[in-house]
Amino acid sequence: MSMSTDLTPRRLLPDAPFLAAATGRIPSRRPVWFQRQAGRSLPEYRKVRAGIAMLDSCFDAELVCEITMQPVRRHGVDAAILFSDIVVPLKAAGVDLDIVPGTGPVIANPVRSVADVKALPRLLPEQVGAVSRGIGLLVDELGEVPLIGFAGAPFTLASYLVEGGPSRNHERTKAMMHSDPTTWHALLGSLADLTITFLQAQLRAGVDAVQLFDSWAGFLSLAEYREFVLPHSTRVFAEVAGAGVPRAHFGVGTGELLGAMGEAGADVVGVDWRIPLDVAAERVGPGTALQGNLDPSVLFAGSAAVEKQVRRIVAEADVALAGNATGHIFNLGHGVLPETDPAILTAVVELVHSL
């Protein structure tokens, strides 16, 4: 399935620092945005979400637009990221699941057999029409700020489906992988199709970049990742390459996988807080921009500690830029934690822009 040509005319944002850094150009300032910036750390988010279930909010175009805009208005970040969830395309396609507060996605009928894989529904673009409409509203409202679309990577979606929800050890997932690789690859092929359809719908609606979240890939060895995951993520990136927008790739605890993740085809590789950016650049190899990587927990340590760590990361990024990396986008090494003081995030944006 190749990239459709019936795209919304894409906004021209030649001066956007995020897009410049992501594509190997020199930005007018170091761009910064935060994973999970549109969420529970913001009182305005808690207000508009009051009484509305998470998945219901993801299928309300006006609410998607409003929540996505909130951190842009408050913090002055250099990119918006679509308010959604990685299980949205599964839900849209008809998989029986819910996001349980305090737990995460819970799957009613876990996928454990060939028959279960064959029974998985395919996603049709019109099933995520609310998401596309939300993107249309955002494109009109964001002005010069780029919009990042995203999806969960096939492996992470598979883990939720096989385990039935979040897992501490991913034992059922790894058991299927090793004991029944044929079924495993059929499952990931089906989920790659779903992910491609979801990203293509976002691209047609007008997003300016896409990010693939492989949240649980850090539980894998490098050999496991290469054999059981990399071919499917590579196909996702290849199928959206025709849109001509930057493609980012991120997972948690993936320091040992960064070289292989870079091979999947992304223009930007996200790095969590566990390894310095200059080390990450050596692992990813030349020709790729880096994104990250302030530890979200440091935001609770007070302004002096936060400033020290921001300056350290920028210095390490500058070493990376002098070597392999083609750009740096400042971000956290994972998502904003719910209890984070929003004022600290605003201060980080101002500090990064001043350096």
Side-chain angles (χ1 to χ4, degrees), residues 59-73:
F59 287 93
D60 181 323
E62 286 74 19
L63 203 51
V64 166
C65 178
E66 167 58 24
I67 292 172
T68 303
M69 288 298 304
Q70 286 175 348
V72 178
R73 296 189 200 112

Side-chain angles (χ1 to χ4, degrees), residues 13-33:
L13 303 173
D15 300 321
F18 168 82
L19 295 176
T23 55
R25 294 179 288 126
I26 298 174
S28 57
R29 64 187 184 196
R30 191 178 306 254
V32 54
W33 69 279

